[in-house]
Structure formats: structure tokens, C-alpha cells
């Protein structure tokens, strides 16, 4: 019989990605570019929100969008047609999330040095993207009213990594039992520093506040 | 889907460890998987089989998962309790001043070479 040898490793599978992400963040900092990682369930309104947001900020700073999708390029085309903002598609090749390495490859395809802000629309999913640090300066997520106000309780990790929670589709509030105060309370339980901004991406209601938040964030990132 | 990405990370890490230890074939990889890690061991096994058999060094290698129970710590009464059973509220004193002590690991514990 051959001898059995045990080689101890004791290493989190996320270690390498976390290091890649820290490296990317440091580089973005030195180049003066702010990267926002935008997450949500499928269909909660990431692309619609981006179109509203971009039209409000594109004359105030230089912005590009990276659309991550498992396979299609519908969203990148939509953003470009609706706003004229530079928008590229990243394919994750079947993966349910983006990691720091994939994000870096995406950034190699935008003109980083002539940008202030890059927004990454992550794959629609409340579980996996939260596990993988993309190297972004901040994580944000959109929760839409039909999904229910209890999501921070059901997806604790997602809400603990996000500093901004946008509540979208407030126009349909009358048809659902969504409780905004409860939702705010649950969000605070996961991250006491999180900002909550209710919007309707369909009409643009509330999006000015979102634009102000992001402009302020980019300003602070560049000046600190 | 989530598990697929994780399996790629595991394969990358164990191949590196095998190289450093001059190992030609790995017969098993042992993982510590936390109860609330969001990783589902059965799914992990499925994608593991598919992905590991594509690598010569891992052909036929087994993936073993130790499940680490999720345990919360109460800052007020300094006790541990089951996180899955009781959630954020401490069953001894009712405090919400609690946090996850362990149970979200997705960790490669060791590799076994025969
Ligand atoms: N009623 C209402 N519908 C909205 C609102 N915002 C978005 N929608 C609709 O919701 C659907 C999904 O919106 P998208 O912007 O494509 O959502 P997404 O998160 O980008 O979707 P994926 O990229 O597929 O994950 C579309 O039919 C939108 O028109 C809103 O504020 N109110
Ligand atoms: Mg979209
Ligand atoms: Zn207690």
C-alpha cells in the first residue's frame, strides 16, 4: 500500500480574489476613477435606473458603464442608445457573478484615464455577487417593491456589503404590502451606515437624490 | 452556478499547492463549508466532478465537505448559541448584540495524496 499523505492548506477560497480586489481598488484610487458595483435580483430595474441616472450626471462627470451578463448584450446596447454613454458588455461565461479579475479585464476595455466614474451592472442575483469583491469603491443594490421589504432578512450578506440601497418601482407601492419603514429598519440591521433612496425609475422620481449621492461619492473619492 | 465559480477557485488553489509540494496526483480535497456560507455541498460535488475530471492531476479526485455549524456570539452575556436555530436574538438574554462567530467558511482544509 502506498502511504497516505495529508497536506494542510487551510485557506479561504475567497482569499486570492480579495487580494486582487484590494489591488484593483488601490489602482483606481491612484488613477482617480470611482467604480460602483450595482447589484440586484433579475429585473428589479438596474438598466432602467442607470438610464435615468446617466442622463442626470453625464454632463457633470466622465462616465462609462460595464454591463455584466451571462451571455447577451441587450443591456449594453440599450444604455448606449438611450444615453450615448460609453457602454461595454462583459460576458461571464456561465458564471453567476463577476470577480475582481473579470472586472479588471473589463476595465482594460474602457478608456480609464479619461473617466471619473465607471458603473458596473453586475449579474442579476442576490447571493453570489455578494461573495465576490469586484474591486469596486462601493457596492450598491436595487431592491424593487414587488420583491418585498423582508429581503434584507433573507439575503443578509448582500445587504451587509452594500452602502446604498435603492428602493425602485415605488409607483406600484399601492398594489403590494411593501412597508418602507420596516425595510429601512431591516437595511440598518445589516449595515448601519447604508443610505436608502426610494425611486421610480420609470418616471424618474427620486433619481435626483441618487444622482446627488453618486456625485458626492466621486468627489470624496478623488479628494481624499 | 455560484458553486461553479467556487470550484474553479478550488482547482486553482489545489493545483498550486500540488506544484509546491511536488505532488503528481491528488486523491481527495477536504473542504470546510459553513452552514450559512451559501454554498450548497451537493451542488459543489456535482460541478466538482465535472470540472475536476478535466484536470489530469485531479482525475477521479474526491471532494469531501466538512460542514461547520453556524454559531453566534452574544456580546452581552458572552455565550455561544446556534445561529440557524435562534437568528440574531440571543436565546439566553434576549440581546440583539450578536454576531456570527463561525459558520460562513468556504475553506480548503487539506489535500490528500495516496
Ligand atoms: N412599474 C415600474 N416598472 C419598472 C420600474 N423600473 C423598471 N421597471 C420595469 O422592470 C423591468 C425590468 O427592468 P430592467 O431595468 O431591465 O431591470 P434589470 O435589473 O436591468 O434586469 P436584468 O438586467 O435582466 O437583471 C422592465 O420592464 C422595466 O420597464 C419602475 O420604477 N416602475
Ligand atoms: Mg439589466
Ligand atoms: Zn446573550
Amino acid at each position: 500500500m502506498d502511504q497516505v499523505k495529508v497536506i494542510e492548506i487551510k485557506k479561504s477560497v475567497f482569499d486570492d480574489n480579495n487580494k486582487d480586489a484590494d489591488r484593483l481598488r488601490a489602482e483606481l484610487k491612484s488613477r482617480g476613477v470611482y467604480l460602483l458595483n450595482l447589484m440586484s435580483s433579475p429585473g428589479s430595474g438596474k438598466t432602467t435606473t442607470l438610464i435615468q441616472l446617466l442622463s442626470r450626471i453625464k454632463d457633470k462627470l466622465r462616465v462609462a458603464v460595464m454591463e455584466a451578463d451571462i451571455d447577451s448584450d441587450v443591456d449594453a446596447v440599450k444604455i448606449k442608445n438611450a444615453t450615448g454613454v460609453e457602454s461595454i458588455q462583459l460576458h461571464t461565461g456561465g458564471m453567476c457573478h463577476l470577480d475582481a479579475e473579470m472586472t479588471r479585464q473589463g476595465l482594460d476595455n474602457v478608456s480609464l484615464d479619461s473617466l471619473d466614474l465607471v458603473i458596473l451592472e453586475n449579474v442579476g442575483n442576490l447571493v453570489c455577487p455578494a461573495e465576490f469583491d469586484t474591486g469596486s469603491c462601493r457596492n450598491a443594490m436595487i431592491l424593487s417593491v414587488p420583491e418585498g421589504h423582508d429581503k434584507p432578512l433573507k439575503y443578509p450578506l448582500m445587504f451587509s456589503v452594500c452602502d446604498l440601497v435603492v428602493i425602485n418601482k415605488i409607483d406600484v407601492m399601492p398594489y403590494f404590502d411593501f412597508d418602507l419603514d420596516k425595510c429601512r429598519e431591516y437595511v440598518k440591521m445589516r449595515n448601519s451606515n447604508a443610505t436608502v433612496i426610494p425611486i421610480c425609475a420609470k418616471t424618474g422620481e427620486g433619481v435626483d437624490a441618487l444622482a446627488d449621492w453618486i456625485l458626492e461619492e466621486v468627489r470624496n473619492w478623488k479628494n481624499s | 452556478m455560484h458553486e461553479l465559480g467556487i470550484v474553479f477557485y478550488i482547482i486553482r488553489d489545489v493545483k498550486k499547492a500540488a506544484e509546491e509540494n511536488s505532488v503528481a496526483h491528488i486523491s481527495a480535497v477536504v473542504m470546510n463549508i459553513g452552514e450559512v456560507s451559501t454554498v450548497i455541498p451537493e451542488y459543489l460535488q456535482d460541478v466538482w466532478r465535472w470540472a475536476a475530471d478535466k484536470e489530469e492531476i485531479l482525475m477521479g479526485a474526491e471532494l469531501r465537505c466538512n460542514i461547520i455549524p453556524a454559531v453566534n456570539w452574544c456580546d452581552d452575556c458572552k455565550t455561544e448559541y446556534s445561529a440557524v436555530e435562534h437568528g440574531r436574538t440571543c436565546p439566553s438574554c434576549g440581546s440583539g448584540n450578536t454576531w456570527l462567530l463561525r459558520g460562513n467558511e468556504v475553506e480548503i482544509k487539506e489535500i490528500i495524496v495516496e
Side-chain angles (χ1 to χ4, degrees):
Chain A
M1 265 305 278
D2 282 345
Q3 230 183 327
V4 175
K5 194 164 118 197
V6 176
I7 301 168
E8 175 161 286
I9 299 192
K10 213 135 193 0
K11 174 172 180 256
S12 163
V13 297
F14 302 115
D15 271 3
D16 287 352
N17 184 59
N18 290 343
K19 284 192 196 115
D20 288 348
D22 286 340
R23 216 171 302 128
L24 179 55
R25 223 173 344 261
E27 188 191 327
L28 289 169
K29 177 89 194 168
S30 71
R31 293 170 80 168
V33 181
Y34 183 99
L35 175 65
L36 183 73
N37 175 27
L38 181 62
M39 299 176 282
S40 85
S41 310
S44 61
K46 296 180 291 298
T47 306
T48 313
T49 302
L50 281 179
I51 290 171
Q52 290 280 358
L53 175 65
L54 291 169
S55 70
R56 286 166 173 77
I57 62 175
K58 67 179 183 188
D59 298 328
K60 297 182 177 144
L61 44 69
R62 301 165 300 171
V63 56
V65 172
M66 299 199 295
E67 290 286 336
D69 219 316
I70 293 182
D71 205 24
S72 84
D73 59 1
V74 177
D75 284 348
V77 172
K78 212 186 274 176
I79 296 270
K80 187 147 201 152
N81 289 345
T83 65
V85 165
E86 177 183 2
S87 159
I88 64 160
Q89 188 74 48
L90 306 181
H91 288 152
T92 62
M95 222 89 92
C96 51
H97 64 275
L98 279 182
D99 63 14
E101 180 56 35
M102 292 186 264
T103 305
R104 133 96 51 208
Q105 286 166 13
L107 289 170
D108 288 342
N109 290 301
V110 296
S111 35
L112 259 199
D113 286 322
S114 53
L115 289 172
D116 305 304
L117 168 66
V118 177
I119 304 178
L120 170 64
E121 177 178 334
N122 212 316
V123 182
N125 182 328
L126 288 186
V127 180
C128 319
E131 300 259 25
F132 295 89
D133 190 340
T134 56
S136 66
C137 311
R138 287 242 196 255
N139 295 313
M141 65 98 55
I142 300 181
L143 174 66
S144 63
V145 165
E147 294 170 72
H149 58 255
D150 60 352
K151 287 295 164 293
L153 301 179
K154 292 189 177 167
Y155 299 91
L157 184 63
M158 173 57 75
F159 287 86
S160 67
V161 301
C162 285
D163 292 307
L164 172 70
V165 177
V166 174
I167 312 284
N168 188 30
K169 309 195 185 179
I170 54 171
D171 55 314
V172 301
M173 206 85 98
Y175 310 103
F176 292 87
D177 57 358
F178 192 97
D179 185 330
L180 188 56
D181 291 332
K182 274 230 171 67
C183 189
R184 284 180 194 276
E185 184 191 320
Y186 295 156
V187 167
K188 296 280 165 200
M189 271 168 65
R190 298 299 170 216
N191 179 356
S192 54
N193 296 317
T195 303
V196 174
I197 303 180
I199 68 162
C200 172
K202 199 171 159 187
T203 61
E205 184 186 348
V207 182
D208 286 342
L210 177 59
D212 289 343
W213 182 89
I214 190 93
L215 292 170
E216 168 90 21
E217 278 286 308
V218 176
R219 210 161 28 234
N220 290 343
W221 178 253
K222 283 176 171 283
N223 297 335
S224 66
Chain B
M1 293 299 244
H2 179 45
E3 282 71 15
L4 179 64
I6 290 179
V7 159
F8 287 145
Y9 283 127
I10 299 174
I11 290 178
R12 193 181 58 188
D13 283 346
V14 298
K15 278 170 76 175
K16 200 164 130 227
E19 199 173 303
E20 285 163 7
N21 291 280
S22 314
V23 166
H25 185 260
I26 295 172
S27 46
V29 174
V30 184
M31 301 288 302
N32 286 332
I33 307 286
E35 200 180 3
V36 295
S37 66
T38 76
V39 172
I40 300 170
E42 294 81 62
Y43 292 178
L44 201 62
Q45 297 284 3
D46 287 349
V47 273
W48 170 258
R49 194 66 284 135
W50 172 82
D53 286 348
K54 286 191 166 34
E55 305 282 340
E56 206 168 322
I57 193 168
L58 287 165
M59 196 88 70
E62 193 191 332
L63 187 76
R64 297 182 198 153
C65 296
N66 294 333
I67 308 298
I68 312 293
V71 172
N72 271 357
W73 173 256
C74 174
D75 260 343
D76 288 337
C77 72
K78 317 281 179 210
T79 54
E80 295 182 5
Y81 66 90
S82 159
V84 171
E85 201 175 326
H86 303 287
R88 294 295 298 263
T89 309
C90 171
S92 316
C93 75
S95 163
N97 242 332
T98 60
W99 46 275
L100 190 70
L101 200 56
R102 56 180 176 271
N104 66 353
E105 306 66 8
V106 184
E107 188 180 78
I108 307 170
K109 181 171 182 280
E110 60 205 16
I111 56 180
I112 295 175
V113 181
E114 282 175 17

